[in-house]
Amino acid sequence: MEISKILIVEDSQVDQMIIQDILHDFECISAYDGIEAFEILDKHNDIYMIILDLNMPRMDGFEVLEKLKSEYVDYDVSVIILTNYEEIENEIRGLELGAVDYIRKPLNSKSLLKRIQVHLNLIRIRNEIRDYNQQLEEKVRIRTRELEHSRDVTVNALLGLLEVRDLESSNHTKRTQLMMHAFATHLATKSAYATLLSPDFINTLSKTAPLHDIGKVGIRDQILLKPGKLTESEYQTMKEHVRFGVEALTKQLGTGYADEFVRTAVDLIGAHHEKFDGSGYPKGIKGKDIPLAGRLMAIIDVYDALTSKRVYKEAYDHAFARSTLIDEKGNHFDPDLVDAFLEIEETILSISIKYKSRK
C-alpha cells in the first residue's frame, strides 16, 4: 500500500509552513491542535504519519498520543513528536506513549526530511510485509481446505468399502457423525471438559467417528456376515478389527508427526472396545486412562448397534438401549459420560430415527 498523506499537528502557523515547505514532495494536511487532528483522522483513512507538536492549546500532544493508544488502536499510524532542545523528559514521555521518533526545534530541514524518509520507508516495508502475510495466510487457508477435502474424500471412500462389506447403510456413517457431534458439543458445556472439547476437536471427533470399525475390512465374510452367534474362535478373529484399523493408520507414520485427525482416529479406533472396568480389549485399559475419544465412541457404538438392524439381529427400541447403557455404567461405560449422553437422549433418538437404515 502506498503512503498517502502526512498530518502536521502544530499550533504555530510559521512552523506549519516551514514543515510543509520541507515536505513539499509529500501531500500534507495541517491541524491547529489535537481536537482538529482527530476531526481530520476521522475523515481520512489514508494518513500514515503524524508530525506532532507536544505543546498545544485545548488538546496537547501527550493527550493526542494517549487517545491514539486507547481509542485508535486499529489506526496504523506512526507519530514523530516535535520538542524543544531542553525538553528531554517530554521526549522520553512521548516515546513511552507510542511515538516512533522525535525532532527538536528549531527545525533543521535536512534532519527533518531524512527522518521522515526513513520512517516512511519503514512504513512501506511494514505494509509490504503485512500484505505478503495476508496473501500467504490466504494461500494456507486454500491449501488447508484442499487437504481437508482430499482427506474427507479418502475417508468416505474407505467407509464406502466398509459399508459394502458389512452390508451397512451409509446412514450409519451419518448417525455416528451426528451423534458424536451432539454428544461432544453437550459435554463441552461441562467445566470438566470445556477446555479439551474445543470446536476444532469436536469437529475432528465427528469426522473420525465413522472410522471406528474400519478394520472390519480385514475380517473374512464368513465371520463378518455370519447371521448367527460367533464361536469363541470367530469372536477372537473379529476382535482383530481393532488392530487392523489402528495399523492401517499408523504403519506409515513410524515415529514421525501425526496430526490431530490421525491421533484422534487412532484413539477412537483403538479404544472404542475398551471397558471402564478394564475388561475390554485390546489392551484392557481401565477408567479415565481410556482415551476420551474411545469412551465417547463406546457409548455411541453400543447405542447405535442396539437400535439398528444387523445381519445377526433385529433392532431394539430406544428404551432397551437406554436401560442397557444405565445397567453398564461403571462396568462397560464411563458413568459420567452415560449421564451426559442421556441428558440429550431426545436429540440422539431423533438422529437415530431420521437416519435409520432402510436395508
Side-chain angles (χ1 to χ4, degrees), residues 148-165:
E148 288 176 347
H149 177 69
S150 296
R151 181 195 65 200
D152 291 345
V153 168
T154 302
V155 168
N156 289 332
L158 290 171
L159 293 173
L161 291 174
L162 178 59
E163 287 158 2
V164 171
R165 289 290 319 284

Side-chain angles (χ1 to χ4, degrees), residues 6-10 12-13 15-17 19-20 28-33 36-37 40:
I6 297 174
L7 176 60
I8 302 167
V9 188
E10 169 64 77
S12 168
Q13 291 186 344
D15 286 343
Q16 278 187 21
M17 293 176 61
I19 295 171
Q20 288 176 339
C28 297
I29 303 176
S30 295
Y32 175 74
D33 60 13
E36 189 176 341
I40 294 172

Side-chain angles (χ1 to χ4, degrees), residues 263-331:
R263 294 196 307 271
T264 303
V266 169
D267 283 346
L268 189 144
I269 294 168
H272 76 283
H273 281 296
E274 299 289 357
K275 295 185 178 181
F276 202 73
D277 62 5
S279 65
Y281 67 90
K283 297 181 179 180
I285 308 172
K286 185 176 181 179
K288 302 293 185 181
D289 289 336
I290 303 170
L292 177 61
R295 283 181 278 139
L296 294 170
M297 194 66 233
I299 295 173
I300 294 171
D301 189 32
V302 169
Y303 176 86
D304 193 62
L306 289 173
T307 56
S308 301
K309 182 178 180 180
R310 297 291 173 86
V311 67
Y312 53 86
K313 74 168 193 65
E314 295 297 322
Y316 295 102
D317 62 15
H318 172 76
F320 181 84
R322 184 183 192 278
S323 66
T324 300
L325 295 180
I326 294 173
D327 290 344
E328 288 296 320
K329 285 173 59 175
N331 299 319

Side-chain angles (χ1 to χ4, degrees), residues 56-338:
M56 297 180 296
R58 297 200 301 174
M59 178 182 285
D60 65 24
F62 296 119
E63 292 173 304
V64 171
L65 288 169
E66 288 172 348
K67 187 170 182 178
L68 283 172
K69 189 175 183 179
S70 62
E71 300 180 28
Y72 287 72
V73 291
D74 295 327
Y75 204 111
D76 189 12
V77 62
S78 296
V79 181
I80 297 178
I81 55 177
L82 299 175
T83 67
N84 294 316
Y85 271 92
E86 70 277 7
E87 296 179 330
I88 296 177
E89 291 185 1
N90 285 347
E91 292 171 0
I92 295 173
R93 183 183 173 192
L95 294 172
E96 289 175 343
L97 288 173
V100 298
D101 204 349
Y102 62 88
I103 298 173
R104 290 175 175 173
K105 297 180 180 180
L107 296 170
N108 180 285
S109 60
K110 290 184 179 180
S111 176
L112 174 60
L113 185 59
K114 178 56 66 176
R115 292 191 183 218
I116 294 296
Q117 289 173 337
V118 167
H119 285 289
L120 288 178
N121 283 333
L122 289 174
I123 293 173
R124 286 192 182 94
I125 292 170
R126 186 173 71 232
N127 289 342
E128 289 173 359
I129 292 174
R130 181 192 60 203
D131 292 343
Y132 174 78
N133 286 338
Q134 289 175 346
Q135 294 172 8
L136 187 61
E137 288 172 1
E138 180 60 23
K139 289 180 180 179
V140 170
R141 282 194 293 269
I142 292 172
R143 182 57 178 157
T144 299
R145 287 197 298 268
E146 291 174 346
L147 290 172
E148 288 176 347
H149 177 69
S150 296
R151 181 195 65 200
D152 291 345
V153 168
T154 302
V155 168
N156 289 332
L158 290 171
L159 293 173
L161 291 174
L162 178 59
E163 287 158 2
V164 171
R165 289 290 319 284
D166 202 19
L167 298 181
E168 279 283 3
S169 164
S170 61
N171 287 343
H172 173 68
T173 297
K174 193 69 174 178
R175 290 195 304 271
T176 54
Q177 285 182 326
L178 293 177
M179 287 181 187
M180 178 63 83
H181 189 273
F183 192 7
T185 300
H186 175 65
L187 200 61
T189 64
K190 301 181 181 299
S191 58
Y193 298 95
T195 301
L196 177 60
L197 289 172
S198 66
D200 285 343
F201 188 42
I202 292 173
N203 182 57
T204 299
L205 284 168
S206 303
K207 289 191 173 184
T208 55
L211 291 170
H212 64 282
D213 275 340
I214 195 66
K216 284 184 177 180
V217 297
I219 304 298
R220 301 192 310 273
D221 284 349
Q222 293 91 331
I223 296 175
L224 187 65
L225 306 181
K226 184 177 179 179
K229 184 178 180 180
L230 298 178
T231 67
E232 180 61 27
S233 175
E234 289 169 338
Y235 178 61
Q236 293 303 319
T237 299
M238 179 65 83
K239 288 165 64 174
E240 286 292 288
H241 79 276
V242 172
R243 179 172 64 84
F244 294 157
V246 171
E247 288 181 353
L249 290 178
T250 58
K251 67 180 180 180
Q252 299 298 329
L253 296 178
T255 58
Y257 170 77
D259 64 16
E260 182 182 63
F261 186 90
V262 174
R263 294 196 307 271
T264 303
V266 169
D267 283 346
L268 189 144
I269 294 168
H272 76 283
H273 281 296
E274 299 289 357
K275 295 185 178 181
F276 202 73
D277 62 5
S279 65
Y281 67 90
K283 297 181 179 180
I285 308 172
K286 185 176 181 179
K288 302 293 185 181
D289 289 336
I290 303 170
L292 177 61
R295 283 181 278 139
L296 294 170
M297 194 66 233
I299 295 173
I300 294 171
D301 189 32
V302 169
Y303 176 86
D304 193 62
L306 289 173
T307 56
S308 301
K309 182 178 180 180
R310 297 291 173 86
V311 67
Y312 53 86
K313 74 168 193 65
E314 295 297 322
Y316 295 102
D317 62 15
H318 172 76
F320 181 84
R322 184 183 192 278
S323 66
T324 300
L325 295 180
I326 294 173
D327 290 344
E328 288 296 320
K329 285 173 59 175
N331 299 319
H332 192 153
F333 309 116
D334 183 332
D336 294 337
L337 297 189
V338 172

